Amino acid sequence: MLALALLTLGTAALAGQLRQSENTARVELGRRLFYDADLSRDGTMACATCHEQFHAFADGNRTHPGVTDEPGRRNVPGLGNVGLFSPLTWADPRQTTLAGQVSVPVLGTHPVEMGMKGQEGEIIKRLSANPCYRMLFAQAFPATDGSLTYDRMAEALGSFEAMLISRSSPYDRGALSVQARTGQKIIRRDCAGCHAGPDFTDLRFHALEAPQPRDLGVFEVTGKAEDKGAFRTPSLRNVMVTAPYFHDGASPTLAAAIARHGLHYGAPDQAAIEAFLTALTDQGFLTNPALSLPKPGCEKPL
């Protein structure tokens, strides 16, 4: 019995190690895919083109055009802790998984971003031509025949995005200045109805302004009158490096974004709010080499 128990424990440990190795390989594959412009029509746009690490994987622009130069519709959101979010986008409650959401930028047409609608086979053809990807897919999906598929590509991208964890800001370490603590009290008093929880978002859709005809928010998906102009509450983590703000990127500063909520503060309170929000900036997340562009290798530099 003891020998059987030890064998069972050993088998379980080995299985756990294999799963960990598989997960690690899947994350590394997803990381390489995240920075690879071959996922776009003309090879000019990767996920990282719009999601830049030093902007907390946001963009820094009001919107970003796609490969056809069609203007973007909405501001690029940051990706800190995105693996804990559902729904995932500004105004589509159907987007609840990271792997599923991959098709929005890669295959979407409203607007065109990476421009690969109907070209899933072309993506796999490009990746399959690279020995590096053939090796990485085999390591990431060992229970399969090692073939490359669009769904496995999307799953690997989701695995990498789930590792974009931001939990080491001064706020997380309890290192708040007196001024930042004052700002925290103001945020709790005036903003916690929506900016709640560890990531300062309730992940719900709210309409703060009269709906604009060019972007009706969740209404475009649900058709419900009460959803006109409703957008998901963004996280406040790393907010100081993700300007401009709001779904349309039309608020260049925090003061402007706060004013769009109908809130107005004097200089001392505004400074306190910004001191607290600055304390939500995770510098390690912005510079972590494990999340950055992979080193050249595996046949093809990125």
Side-chain angles (χ1 to χ4, degrees):
M1 291 293 291
L2 178 60
L4 178 60
L6 291 174
L7 177 60
T8 300
L9 287 172
T11 302
L14 178 60
Q17 291 174 1
L18 291 174
R19 284 195 298 272
Q20 181 61 41
S21 176
E22 179 180 331
N23 290 339
T24 298
R26 201 166 295 184
V27 169
E28 287 304 310
L29 169 59
R31 176 187 175 195
R32 180 165 287 271
L33 290 165
F34 188 86
Y35 286 93
D36 196 335
D38 269 352
L39 271 62
S40 67
R41 180 186 301 180
D42 59 3
T44 63
M45 179 177 287
C47 301
T49 302
C50 295
H51 295 284
E52 300 173 316
Q53 185 176 10
F54 66 96
H55 282 302
F57 294 94
D59 180 45
N61 297 301
R62 182 168 178 171
T63 61
H64 199 291
V67 294
T68 61
D69 289 329
E70 179 180 350
R73 295 184 71 218
R74 294 171 183 154
N75 181 250
V76 177
L79 298 182
N81 303 324
V82 69
L84 304 175
F85 293 176
S86 182
L88 289 165
T89 64
W90 279 112
D92 190 347
R94 299 169 300 184
Q95 301 300 331
T96 59
T97 69
L98 291 172
Q101 193 274 336
V102 165
S103 292
V104 175
V106 177
L107 308 179
T109 59
H110 185 54
V112 171
E113 295 183 55
M114 299 170 82
M116 295 300 284
K117 177 69 174 178
Q119 299 296 312
E120 295 92 331
E122 174 62 22
I123 295 173
I124 299 309
K125 179 181 177 181
R126 294 177 184 180
L127 299 180
S128 297
N130 188 331
C132 173
Y133 277 124
R134 295 200 299 270
M135 178 187 71
L136 291 174
F137 270 86
Q139 292 174 346
F141 300 95
T144 71
D145 58 5
S147 62
L148 284 67
T149 69
Y150 178 86
D151 288 344
R152 290 171 191 164
M153 179 206 77
E155 187 173 346
L157 274 167
S159 295
F160 171 68
E161 290 170 352
M163 299 304 294
L164 300 178
I165 298 169
S166 180
R167 284 283 190 271
S168 297
S169 67
Y171 164 78
D172 295 301
R173 300 193 302 271
L176 295 181
S177 66
V178 173
Q179 186 183 42
R181 291 187 186 280
T182 299
Q184 181 181 32
K185 292 177 182 177
I186 297 171
I187 293 292
R188 285 176 174 172
R189 183 191 69 204
D190 296 343
C191 309
C194 298
H195 292 286
D199 291 306
F200 301 90
T201 171
D202 61 2
L203 295 175
R204 294 181 179 179
F205 301 98
H206 302 278
L208 298 180
E209 303 171 311
Q212 301 298 315
R214 62 187 179 87
D215 194 342
L216 295 175
V218 182
F219 174 81
E220 293 180 356
V221 175
T222 68
K224 296 179 180 179
E226 62 268 26
D227 288 337
K228 287 185 177 180
F231 297 89
R232 198 199 67 185
T233 306
S235 170
L236 294 182
R237 284 187 175 272
N238 299 299
V239 69
M240 295 299 288
V241 298
T242 61
Y245 305 109
F246 263 71
H247 63 277
D248 55 6
S251 298
T253 65
L254 276 171
I258 290 171
R260 284 180 70 174
H261 289 73
L263 299 171
H264 302 275
Y265 298 99
D269 282 351
Q270 182 68 33
I273 290 169
E274 295 195 14
F276 174 67
L277 295 178
T278 297
L280 297 180
T281 303
D282 182 348
Q283 290 295 334
F285 178 65
L286 307 184
T287 58
N288 183 352
L291 306 178
S292 63
L293 177 73
K295 293 181 179 179
C298 264
E299 306 298 328
K300 186 188 87 170
L302 295 175

